[in-house]
Amino acid sequence: MSYFVLNKKNINYFLLVLASVFLFSCKSSKHASKTDKNSNSSSSSNTKKPDTNTFKKTNKDEKVDAILKEAFTYMGAPYKYGACSKDGTDCSGLVMNSFKKVGIDLPRSSKEQGAFAKPISVDDAKKGDLLFFCTKSTNCKEINHVAIVSKLEGGTVYFIHATVQKGVMVNNLNENYYKKAFIKAGRVIN
């Protein structure tokens, strides 16, 4: 019966085999990635270059869906000024935490979020856009409330937000109170 004897020759042989496996496995993965990159730019009639706008759009849609999914986990949470947890939140805390879920850091206050978001026409609003309000009085122009557009249906803009009296809920811009309090719409995800 022969036993494997550990000596310098066997160690060198073992290291050579190990190095070969490592080098060949790395080389094949590099080769595969080069082939993948080149296959997109191939002039073959059977290969089609992927539409990069579709990928970007999908990524944006996935982010918006994740933001809304997070926002809806707060549904029914009570309003609590200065808080941002499912035990209680204010409007800007809800928005801030929902966007943070996809790696977007927003300022803490609704006024700062209003300055951060790119202004858009409310007619161009999409899911995931922000709506800004002044709920203090009529003719007020200073932002003190924010909401996330959650749905567009039949020309009506629905939004999720944290209200002082009922906590996190969904309302729409056709409701008289919010129609009068509305200041502007803004976009964070382009």
Side-chain angles (χ1 to χ4, degrees):
M1 181 181 270
S2 70
Y3 290 96
F4 181 75
V5 178
L6 195 59
N7 61 32
K8 192 173 184 177
K9 185 179 176 183
N10 289 341
I11 290 174
N12 286 341
Y13 179 73
F14 175 75
L15 291 175
L16 179 65
V17 170
L18 185 63
S20 297
V21 169
F22 177 73
L23 287 174
F24 285 117
S25 67
C26 289
K27 185 176 181 184
S28 66
S29 67
K30 286 179 184 175
H31 178 70
S33 66
K34 283 181 184 176
T35 303
D36 291 345
K37 287 178 188 174
N38 292 336
S39 67
N40 288 342
S41 60
S42 172
S43 60
S44 168
S45 59
N46 293 341
T47 3
K48 218 176 176 186
K49 191 172 184 181
D51 180 5
T52 55
N53 291 330
T54 303
F55 295 124
K56 288 179 184 175
K57 188 175 185 181
T58 302
N59 188 29
K60 177 185 172 186
D61 291 344
E62 289 171 358
K63 281 185 177 181
V64 168
D65 289 345
I67 289 165
L68 289 171
K69 184 177 179 181
E70 178 65 14
F72 275 93
T73 65
Y74 286 77
M75 194 68 146
Y79 181 88
K80 188 172 181 183
Y81 180 77
C84 54
S85 77
K86 291 177 181 146
D87 294 328
T89 187
D90 62 14
C91 60
S92 59
L94 171 68
V95 171
M96 183 185 74
N97 279 353
S98 298
F99 276 78
K100 186 177 271 184
K101 190 73 174 179
V102 297
I104 298 173
D105 292 322
L106 292 181
R108 179 60 179 95
S109 75
S110 56
K111 184 177 180 179
E112 291 171 327
Q113 290 171 358
F116 183 86
K118 176 186 170 196
I120 60 168
S121 166
V122 70
D123 296 330
D124 295 329
K126 298 177 182 175
K127 282 177 23 175
D129 286 337
L130 300 179
L131 303 175
F132 299 95
F133 304 87
C134 181
T135 58
K136 290 180 182 176
S137 64
T138 56
N139 299 328
C140 175
K141 298 295 177 201
E142 187 176 319
I143 294 169
N144 73 340
H145 188 66
V146 62
I148 306 170
V149 175
S150 59
K151 178 171 76 168
L152 303 161
E153 188 175 275
T156 302
V157 178
Y158 292 85
F159 53 90
I160 184 167
H161 61 140
T163 66
V164 173
Q165 294 184 352
K166 295 185 179 177
V168 178
M169 61 185 295
V170 174
N171 288 97
N172 71 70
L173 274 181
N174 287 347
E175 295 174 46
N176 201 34
Y177 177 79
Y178 293 107
K179 192 183 293 186
K180 288 180 181 178
F182 177 75
I183 295 178
K184 70 175 190 171
R187 182 162 293 152
V188 174
I189 300 176
N190 290 319

